[in-house]
Amino acid sequence: MKKTLLTLVAVVCAMNVFSEDSWVVKKFTPVASASDAGSVYTTVAGDGSVYVSSAVNQDFTFAEKVINAATTSTCVVKYDKSGDEIWAISFNGKNDVRAMTVDTDGNLYVAGTVKGEATEFIGTDGNSKIISNPTKYDEMWEETVITGFSGYVVKIDSDGKILATQQVNPAGPESGYYGEARVNPNKIVVDNNKVYVSCSYNGAVESLGWEGRYVTMLDFDTFETSYFGDIPGAGVFSLSRADLTQPTSMANVMATTDADMLDDGLQCGPEAFSFVIMNGMVGVAFIGWGKETLTVPGQTPKDFSFDVQGGGLNEHALVMSMTSDIEHMSLVYHAAPQDKEYTQYNLFGEMSGTNIILGGTFSGQFPLDNSKSSKSAGEENKYNHASFLASISPMTSSVNYSWVNEAEDESFTNGMVVTGEETHVGTNAAVYHFKTSDGTAKGSESMTILDAAQFNDQYVALVSTDGADVVTMFQEMSPSAVQEVKAAQAGEAKYYSIDGMETAAPQKGLNIVKTADGVKKIIK
């Protein structure tokens, strides 16, 4: 524990919008060993409250409430801005938490996957709501079986009461389907009156109009086609913020490669998917190979075809598209073919003004800058994985800057947070800090963060694990730093030294800032 806390505190030195002595560090122990940890995410609200989720497999006490592991699979706990334990609630039944966020009213939204027959979400008032997976009766085995693992979204008020739930059900073919259809959320965002959720999925999601993409083969006894699997797709959908009703597809991506490209069982679904909300518009990004088709309701589907070569080599290009006009507002970044067996990708997207800050993991040649690549794994056409960060302007089709972790070891991005003028990328081994506007590196620490969140450039939270402990670190940014960030974001702010001389940027010591609306402030 001591080592983790020391390295966590070291983050302060690089995050210069944070005060050096105001971190609150808290922990709880919901699992018996480090190997049991999972579903660890965080988010922070406008009053500085911090929410943390986790898997549960042993009894523990939080805010004087005993969480019973006999029924609970995951939980969410709440701290206030001072670190006091406020409440804990249980999600009973086998499930995974996969993403969390808050709205401006302080309501919490949790997205995840129900993996058992049902999950019961129990609020602090004892009232609950249940989400059940689709099932069918298997006559051959004379038992009820789960036919799909549903995605869920649950809305919880600041007091821990369950306000609403929504589920998105997948479905495979009626017979001959190998494995379960799944909906696995990976990001959730609240914007105005809607909640946006992205996910990967297997099978058809009928409520959203998403089709399944089934790989078929012949049964050599009957010479009839039988289903044996599905190629995952990805997409983003919206819900009503008020009550989580009205599930509506915003976009989805699925592989539409010809069947003869799949002779070797290659499944070329989108390998990574993320989205951002930009002035009320949805922007999506994905990495894929083969032929991928982006579908947005009301528009002609758009195909993106990337080279697939013999021996399983493929291109793995990066696509970014604004769903308001996918025909004219789609960017494609190509990379040389790499070996399919050594690829594992993810993407994280955030907005900074009109630029999309994109982070994630890639393998082989970097699509945004072909002069960069991850390090060779020692064999021809074999590559390690590398973390990256980039600033991209969808309006001008320009890559403003990009960074690639050139370490010899494998590097996977776990999370990214943009706090005004700084962007922080957490990997499996380190946290890197950058100036958001131009990508200038500002230092790093050897540590692991599983998730990070911020609210309005005022509060920030980090979560990690230390053995079986879930460790949360959070604070309020210093007022002068917040004013500096907001002045910089105004775009027309001017800076002056204390004696009235105009400067290009804030200097060490006291500064006078005149914002775009004419307000003058003194910061340091």
Side-chain angles (χ1 to χ4, degrees):
M1 182 65 183
K2 290 183 178 179
K3 181 178 180 181
T4 299
L5 290 182
L6 288 173
T7 52
L8 282 172
V9 173
V11 179
V12 175
C13 300
M15 294 180 173
N16 61 16
V17 300
F18 299 157
S19 168
E20 294 188 12
D21 56 2
S22 57
W23 285 104
V24 177
V25 180
K26 293 292 178 177
K27 69 173 183 176
F28 63 102
T29 312
V31 294
S33 66
S35 61
D36 301 324
S39 292
V40 178
Y41 295 92
T42 189
T43 191
V44 58
D47 63 356
S49 299
V50 175
Y51 299 93
V52 183
S53 65
S54 175
V56 176
N57 73 356
Q58 71 170 10
D59 294 354
F60 73 99
T61 301
F62 191 98
E64 300 182 350
K65 176 183 179 179
V66 177
I67 301 297
N68 188 337
T71 56
T72 303
S73 176
T74 59
C75 70
V76 175
V77 304
K78 178 181 180 179
Y79 299 100
D80 68 13
K81 63 184 294 184
S82 300
D84 293 332
E85 297 179 356
I86 303 303
W87 51 251
I89 58 176
S90 302
F91 295 176
N92 291 353
K94 191 175 181 181
N95 74 95
D96 288 336
V97 174
R98 293 179 173 269
M100 298 201 300
T101 193
V102 293
D103 64 21
T104 53
D105 296 327
N107 297 308
L108 171 69
Y109 301 79
V110 183
T113 302
V114 177
K115 300 178 69 177
E117 288 192 20
T119 292
E120 182 180 20
F121 304 90
I122 305 176
T124 52
D125 59 356
N127 292 323
S128 67
K129 294 182 181 294
I130 297 176
I131 287 181
S132 300
N133 271 327
T135 61
K136 70 177 182 179
Y137 184 75
D138 190 315
E139 294 182 355
M140 176 180 293
W141 299 102
E142 297 183 343
E143 63 181 6
T144 299
V145 298
I146 298 172
T147 60
F149 291 162
S150 298
Y152 69 78
V153 180
V154 56
K155 180 177 179 179
I156 305 161
D157 74 8
S158 60
D159 294 325
K161 299 175 183 178
I162 309 299
L163 299 180
T165 58
Q166 181 60 265
Q167 69 186 100
V168 180
N169 295 334
E174 286 298 317
S175 63
Y177 187 57
Y178 178 77
E180 300 90 357
R182 300 168 181 260
V183 174
N184 293 325
N186 53 34
K187 183 176 181 178
I188 184 167
V189 173
V190 178
D191 185 73
N192 292 323
N193 62 349
K194 292 185 178 181
V195 179
Y196 297 88
V197 183
S198 62
C199 63
S200 61
Y201 68 95
N202 294 52
V205 185
E206 295 178 359
S207 63
L208 299 174
W210 296 352
E211 298 178 354
R213 177 70 167 97
Y214 307 113
V215 182
T216 61
M217 66 179 294
L218 286 176
D219 184 322
F220 289 103
D221 292 328
T222 63
F223 291 98
E224 294 180 353
T225 297
S226 61
Y227 295 101
F228 73 93
D230 187 23
I231 300 175
V236 56
F237 61 91
S238 68
L239 301 169
S240 166
R241 172 178 166 179
D243 55 8
L244 300 184
T245 58
Q246 305 172 34
T248 304
S249 173
M250 306 305 296
N252 86 297
V253 181
M254 61 184 299
T256 51
T257 298
D258 293 337
D260 59 2
M261 305 296 279
L262 303 173
D263 289 343
D264 296 324
L266 299 176
Q267 299 188 7
C268 52
E271 308 261 345
F273 184 91
S274 189
F275 74 98
V276 296
I277 306 298
M278 180 178 180
N279 299 324
M281 298 185 297
V282 178
V284 299
F286 64 92
I287 293 175
W289 64 279
K291 183 180 177 183
E292 308 282 350
T293 299
L294 173 61
T295 302
V296 172
Q299 299 187 41
T300 301
K302 185 172 179 61
D303 294 334
F304 300 90
S305 295
F306 313 120
D307 290 338
V308 178
Q309 300 181 359
L313 296 179
N314 43 81
E315 186 177 341
H316 289 283
L318 169 65
V319 175
M320 296 185 61
S321 184
M322 299 304 297
T323 62
S324 55
D325 186 355
I326 61 175
E327 178 61 34
H328 301 102
M329 297 185 68
S330 295
L331 309 176
V332 181
Y333 302 95
H334 296 273
Q338 306 300 342
D339 193 283
K340 175 69 172 65
E341 295 179 359
Y342 281 74
T343 54
Q344 181 177 338
Y345 302 89
N346 58 29
L347 291 172
F348 299 85
E350 299 291 343
M351 292 302 305
S352 177
T354 59
N355 293 328
I356 295 175
I357 308 300
L358 193 67
T361 305
F362 75 101
S363 178
Q365 192 177 65
F366 185 41
L368 296 174
D369 182 351
N370 288 174
S371 67
K372 300 175 182 178
S373 66
S374 61
K375 298 298 183 179
S376 170
E379 300 179 52
E380 185 179 3
N381 294 322
K382 311 287 186 182
Y383 291 85
N384 287 329
H385 297 87
S387 300
F388 74 89
L389 176 72
S391 173
I392 303 170
S393 173
M395 300 304 179
T396 62
S397 304
S398 61
V399 178
N400 302 315
Y401 62 80
S402 62
W403 164 83
V404 169
N405 183 5
E406 297 181 336
E408 296 289 343
D409 297 330
E410 295 266 68
S411 179
F412 293 91
T413 300
N414 290 333
M416 180 183 76
V417 63
V418 179
T419 55
E421 276 301 290
E422 290 188 331
T423 296
H424 315 284
V425 178
T427 75
N428 57 312
V431 176
Y432 299 89
H433 313 283
F434 305 88
K435 187 176 180 181
T436 303
S437 58
D438 61 13
T440 301
K442 303 187 71 174
S444 64
E445 290 79 40
S446 297
M447 60 176 294
T448 297
I449 287 177
L450 297 180
D451 196 23
Q454 63 91 21
F455 187 93
N456 199 30
D457 299 324
Q458 185 175 3
Y459 297 101
V460 66
L462 313 173
V463 66
S464 187
T465 56
D466 182 28
D469 295 332
V470 176
V471 182
T472 311
M473 180 176 176
F474 49 96
Q475 70 162 266
E476 182 176 8
M477 299 180 194
S478 63
S480 62
V482 173
Q483 292 299 334
E484 177 183 333
V485 167
K486 293 189 178 302
Q489 289 179 329
E492 299 178 7
K494 294 185 178 181
Y495 302 96
Y496 302 87
S497 63
I498 200 64
D499 59 1
M501 298 295 293
E502 186 172 355
T503 59
Q507 307 297 305
K508 185 176 181 179
L510 295 178
N511 294 261
I512 300 173
V513 179
K514 183 178 180 182
T515 62
D517 57 7
V519 176
K520 291 184 178 180
K521 299 179 182 295
I522 295 178
I523 65 171
K524 69 173 184 177

